[in-house]
Amino acid sequence: MTVRIKDVARAAGVSVATVSRALGDGPVSDELRKKVEAAVAATGYLPNLSARRLRSQHSHTIGLIVSDIRNPFFTAVSRAVEDAAYAVGMRVILCNTDENPQKEAMYLRLMQEERVTGVIFAPTRATAQKLDPQQLGFPVVLIDRAAPPGHADAVVLDNAEAASLLVEHLLAQGYRRIGGLFGNTSTTGAERHAGVVAAMQRHGLQAEARFIAPTPEAAEQAVRDWLRERRSRKH
């Protein structure tokens, strides 16, 4: 038998309005809130979260949209976001986009429908260029990838400098023919490529680069093709 909010009110000895306020962080005393919570536990009542979201315009939920949770970087980010959200009583909705702008658009609409409190988002370059948090209706913080200045706050690595340091390390080991594979859908790939090129040019060298789809399969195929072409030139 379905337990209704009226049953909780009867068990707690309060009105339905009081139960609603207590469950929705409304203005009730700590004593009344504890009484309602005890009645909820005793009756097994499950609040209608969708209805509550419509009333309060607040879901206590954070959206996390990443390209691929299998990427160790995004695995670590996801765990950190979930831990931080749990500590303040919030939930997380996790979505994987596979660097697909259409999936990104779909998941942003989902976040609007879920009335999330905010979104943490690692967008493709195409989506970042046109992102407008004001139209979405919730705050957005970008991670790993940045939008044009003024579009959205972002937490990013200095990709160009990191790539430059990597090249300098390889050069110090005596390597001179250095190439790189870079993702073709994000600002990250372009920034890393710029760092590699700049470092090589400082030493009078030319960097070899290929822009590929950001998947392990594409990277593996690109390396195979690269090695095959080198062997062909030697012959």
Side-chain angles (χ1 to χ4, degrees), residues 58-112:
H58 197 292
S59 67
H60 295 282
T61 300
I62 296 172
L64 176 58
I65 305 176
V66 300
S67 59
D68 190 347
I69 191 63
R70 295 174 300 179
N71 182 325
F73 171 78
F74 289 124
T75 301
V77 167
S78 300
R79 181 56 196 254
V81 169
E82 196 278 333
D83 286 345
Y86 178 79
V88 294
M90 302 190 76
R91 304 173 302 161
V92 177
I93 298 176
L94 172 63
C95 301
N96 290 277
T97 66
D98 300 314
E99 302 279 4
N100 184 332
Q102 291 182 331
K103 290 184 72 173
E104 289 177 329
M106 178 185 71
Y107 286 134
L108 287 173
R109 287 195 299 272
L110 171 65
M111 298 305 169
Q112 290 177 307

Side-chain angles (χ1 to χ4, degrees), residues 139-211:
V140 177
V141 175
L142 305 186
I143 53 172
D144 194 43
R145 291 91 181 266
H151 281 220
D153 292 331
V155 179
V156 296
L157 172 72
D158 188 337
N159 287 291
E161 178 63 16
S164 180
L165 290 173
L166 176 59
V167 170
E168 293 290 351
H169 172 74
L170 292 174
L171 291 171
Q173 306 304 308
Y175 297 99
R176 290 296 179 268
R177 299 181 65 183
I178 299 173
L181 301 177
F182 305 94
N184 62 6
T185 60
S186 70
T187 55
T188 303
E191 292 167 357
R192 291 173 181 170
H193 175 251
V196 169
V197 170
M200 293 290 281
Q201 287 179 344
R202 285 197 297 269
H203 293 270
L205 300 171
Q206 184 174 356
E208 296 187 49
R210 296 193 178 187
F211 287 86

Side-chain angles (χ1 to χ4, degrees), residues 179-184 193 207-213 221-227 229-230 233:
L181 301 177
F182 305 94
N184 62 6
H193 175 251
E208 296 187 49
R210 296 193 178 187
F211 287 86
I212 62 171
Q221 186 59 51
V223 171
R224 289 179 185 276
D225 293 342
W226 218 336
L227 294 176
E229 292 169 9
R230 287 186 178 277
R233 284 199 294 267

Side-chain angles (χ1 to χ4, degrees), residues 49-65:
L49 297 180
S50 297
R52 185 186 299 178
R53 283 197 293 270
L54 289 173
R55 289 193 300 271
S56 68
Q57 301 293 305
H58 197 292
S59 67
H60 295 282
T61 300
I62 296 172
L64 176 58
I65 305 176

Side-chain angles (χ1 to χ4, degrees), residues 101-140:
Q102 291 182 331
K103 290 184 72 173
E104 289 177 329
M106 178 185 71
Y107 286 134
L108 287 173
R109 287 195 299 272
L110 171 65
M111 298 305 169
Q112 290 177 307
E113 293 168 0
E114 292 293 329
R115 300 177 186 271
V116 297
T117 303
V119 167
I120 299 170
F121 185 22
T124 58
R125 182 166 45 197
T127 297
Q129 292 292 329
K130 60 183 180 182
L131 188 67
D132 186 351
Q134 290 187 343
Q135 291 185 354
L136 292 173
F138 48 72
V140 177

Side-chain angles (χ1 to χ4, degrees), residues 26-37:
V28 299
S29 67
D30 290 341
E31 181 181 354
L32 271 179
R33 194 181 307 279
K34 290 178 180 178
K35 184 181 293 187
V36 170
E37 290 173 350

